[in-house]
């Protein structure tokens, strides 16, 4: 591998322009120009909105619980009167944090059940939708055929 390729964008910044003695100290851009930001395709799909909201909520509650537990610990070390109420509230917020993490899991499961997992081509939800569509088309076709038969025979009497 070339040494230019191994350099990080920060360390190659001074090498982006070269000062030439022949040009009287004017800066000449190098031949190789590397972009600072390169778009890469996402490895995983974006989470559905309800699941993402629940996950953000869980992370916020979890971070507040960790901060609260740290304050309770420091108050205990300092021998403050606030230590006991902080420990009690930390226990309570631990229960709330556990509940919020379970909420993320339940929300994800419910979303998958309602909308189906469409990321896998052999998904059973996709197969069920195909079958329902076929059944609906068949029902519509039979209704149309029945309506045509009624229209054709409605105006004429039998000739027997």
């Amino acid at each position: 591998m070339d040494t230019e390729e191994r350099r990080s964008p920060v360390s190659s910044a001074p090498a982006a322009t070269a000062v030439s003695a022949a040009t009287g100290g004017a800066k000449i851009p190098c031949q190789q120009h590397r972009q600072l930001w390169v778009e890469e395709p996402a490895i995983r799909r974006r989470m559905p909105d309800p699941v993402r909201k629940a996950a953000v909520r869980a992370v916020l509650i979890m971070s507040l619980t960790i901060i609260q537990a740290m304050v309770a610990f420091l108050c205990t070390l300092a021998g403050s009167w606030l230590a006991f109420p902080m420990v009690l509230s930390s226990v309570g917020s631990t229960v709330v944090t556990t509940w919020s993490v379970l909420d993320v899991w339940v929300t994800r499961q419910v979303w998958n059940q309602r909308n189906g997992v469409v990321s896998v081509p052999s998904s059973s939800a996709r197969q069920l939708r195909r079958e329902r569509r076929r059944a609906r088309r068949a029902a519509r076709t039979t209704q149309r055929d029945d309506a045509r038969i009624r229209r054709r025979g409605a105006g004429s009497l039998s000739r027997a």
Side-chain angles (χ1 to χ4, degrees), residues 27-54:
K27 294 181 179 180
I28 301 171
C30 283
Q31 304 298 337
Q32 296 176 353
H33 177 70
R34 196 169 20 198
Q35 292 179 339
L36 289 176
W37 188 265
V38 178
E39 282 289 327
E40 294 180 3
I43 296 170
R44 297 172 64 182
R45 289 179 179 239
R46 181 176 165 168
M47 278 193 287
D49 285 341
V51 179
R52 199 170 66 249
K53 285 178 186 175

Side-chain angles (χ1 to χ4, degrees), residues 6-7 10 25 32 34 40 51 53 90 115 151-152:
R6 280 190 269 151
R7 276 195 201 151
V10 177
Q32 296 176 353
R34 196 169 20 198
E40 294 180 3
V51 179
K53 285 178 186 175
S90 292
N115 301 300
R151 272 184 275 154
R152 265 191 264 153

Side-chain angles (χ1 to χ4, degrees), residues 64-73 83-97:
L64 288 174
T65 301
I66 291 171
I67 291 170
Q68 191 174 13
M70 194 66 197
V71 169
F73 176 71
F84 184 68
M86 288 299 290
V87 168
L88 286 180
S89 64
S90 292
V91 170
S93 59
T94 303
V95 172
V96 172
T97 301

Side-chain angles (χ1 to χ4, degrees), residues 1 8 12 21 40 42 53 58 78-79 88 100 106 108 114-115 122:
M1 195 153 70
S8 68
S12 65
E40 294 180 3
K53 285 178 186 175
L88 286 180
S100 68
V106 168
R108 185 172 160 268
R114 286 184 182 162
N115 301 300
S122 62

Side-chain angles (χ1 to χ4, degrees), residues 47 50-52 54-55 57-58 97-113:
M47 278 193 287
V51 179
R52 199 170 66 249
R57 225 179 5 248
T97 301
T98 306
W99 190 265
S100 68
V101 171
L102 282 174
D103 179 48
V104 174
W105 183 70
V106 168
T107 306
R108 185 172 160 268
Q109 295 298 325
V110 167
W111 194 89
N112 282 341
Q113 278 185 350

